[in-house]
Amino acid sequence: MTVEEPCPVLVQARGGPSPLYEPEDPAAYDDLGAYTRTVPLDDERLALPADLADALRAWSRSRPAGGFTSRPDLRKHVKHGLATTQQLGRF
């Protein structure tokens, strides 16, 4: 996932230590259901700055295991995730 070899990743908070996922089969990049392999935030292919990795980790872990019970909390989580994901996209 370097600049020379970009690779698609799915960003989705599932409550784990990393919200980044890649497909088991690299050819299945257009099937969202194929993104099941977690990409660790310290993966050398990403070369993420520590502050961005920390922001992604915190956002992913802030998702409650049972889901959100209030819409305002869900909206706040989504808004934070969008900002963090946009920061990842700019990187």
Side-chain angles (χ1 to χ4, degrees), residues 23-70:
E24 290 289 332
D25 176 9
Y29 64 89
D30 58 346
D31 176 14
L32 291 179
Y35 287 79
T36 56
R37 183 182 299 156
T38 303
V39 180
L41 293 171
D42 61 353
D43 190 309
E44 64 186 29
R45 297 174 297 165
L46 297 173
L48 292 176
D51 60 335
L52 179 55
D54 290 342
L56 286 163
R57 184 177 301 107
W59 173 67
S60 180
R61 289 188 170 163
S62 69
R63 182 182 188 277
F68 288 91
T69 56
S70 78

